[in-house]
Amino acid sequence: NKTASEAAVLVDELIPAVKDAACEVVICTPFTDLVTAVAKTKGTNIHVGAENVHFEKSGAFTGEISADMLVDLGVEYVIVGHSERRQYFAETDQTVNKRALAALNAGLKVILCVGESLQQREEGVTEELVRMQTKIALRDVTAEQMANVVIAYEPVWAIGTGKTATAEQANEVCAQIRKVIAGLYDQEAADGITIQYGGSMNAKNADELVAQPDVDGGLIGGAALKAPDFAAIVKAASK
């Protein structure tokens, strides 16, 4: 969403709306908006992220953007493995792992997405699937690098569908992800990691979702396109 000029307007509205946030605020924009977003947010409490990254430093990958290119722009974060990338652009657990490593090795912070489809939830394989996605995505990621990883649980069946996982469902899966981290690394890493919920979180349900013990924040889609709605979610996360 948003051309560079539209993004400029939204960022101008967001800056005063979230200036008192007691949580970290990150906006992830399309590649064409990144220069604008970085320039606009300089000196504010808003961090900027990209929506994807390629896994090679450079080379014959026409149309792709490398981690070094993002770092050079002043970008701090990148989303990796978003369900839409997996669904429409053939990304796999393995390519998600390669992207995460490329981003971390370049000094970016990674927002790593995992989650199940409606069919998978109905088949009762949510826990196994999310555990597998998390493990494969984090292969070769060091304990040190984990300090720069955020995990976003996004049930695919709850994205843009208006369906939201109940606060209890969201918490249950986030708790399972934390358990996986404890097994891969240690309890300290598990306690320290930020685990977000991303599936139709909005101004109305944010309070209830972020009040859950294992839900540390939100990965916001459509509700972030209006400054007042996004500000309400930030307020909920700041409590």
Side-chain angles (χ1 to χ4, degrees), residues 21-197:
C23 62
E24 196 151 3
V25 181
V26 184
I27 55 170
C28 296
T29 77
F31 292 130
T32 50
D33 301 351
L34 288 170
V35 171
T36 305
V38 169
K40 286 261 177 204
T41 55
K42 221 177 182 66
T44 74
N45 62 326
I46 299 176
H47 304 265
V48 176
E51 295 181 341
N52 197 23
V53 64
H54 192 58
F55 42 76
E56 296 294 349
K57 277 179 103 63
S58 63
F61 305 100
T62 301
E64 291 299 311
I65 306 289
S66 74
D68 289 344
M69 292 173 186
L70 295 177
V71 170
D72 190 59
L73 287 184
V75 171
E76 284 181 73
Y77 282 82
V78 65
I79 299 172
V80 170
H82 192 283
S83 62
E84 287 157 6
R85 299 295 318 172
R86 295 175 190 255
Q87 189 178 346
Y88 302 124
F89 305 104
E91 292 198 15
T92 64
D93 292 335
Q94 286 72 23
T95 64
V96 168
N97 172 240
K98 285 168 78 169
R99 287 172 209 278
L101 286 170
L104 290 166
N105 289 335
L108 289 165
K109 293 178 180 174
V110 168
I111 300 168
L112 181 68
C113 301
V114 297
E116 82 285 20
S117 67
L118 185 58
Q119 187 185 352
Q120 288 160 336
R121 174 161 278 269
E122 286 170 348
E123 286 166 357
V125 296
T126 295
E127 187 177 347
E128 295 94 318
L129 187 101
V130 169
R131 188 189 301 143
M132 184 177 82
Q133 286 180 336
T134 306
K135 278 185 170 176
I136 296 173
L138 293 174
R139 194 180 61 208
D140 297 330
V141 173
T142 67
E144 267 175 347
Q145 287 175 321
M146 281 305 289
N148 288 325
V149 175
V150 171
I151 295 181
Y153 165 55
E154 39 159 26
V156 181
W157 50 273
I159 295 172
T161 57
K163 288 182 185 175
T164 315
T166 64
E168 289 71 27
Q169 283 173 321
N171 189 67
E172 188 186 349
V173 182
C174 289
Q176 286 163 358
I177 293 168
R178 209 177 291 283
K179 207 164 131 191
V180 174
I181 303 300
L184 290 175
Y185 300 95
D186 55 26
Q187 195 56 49
E188 194 184 346
D191 293 341
I193 195 165
T194 295
I195 301 177
Q196 300 176 324
Y197 171 72

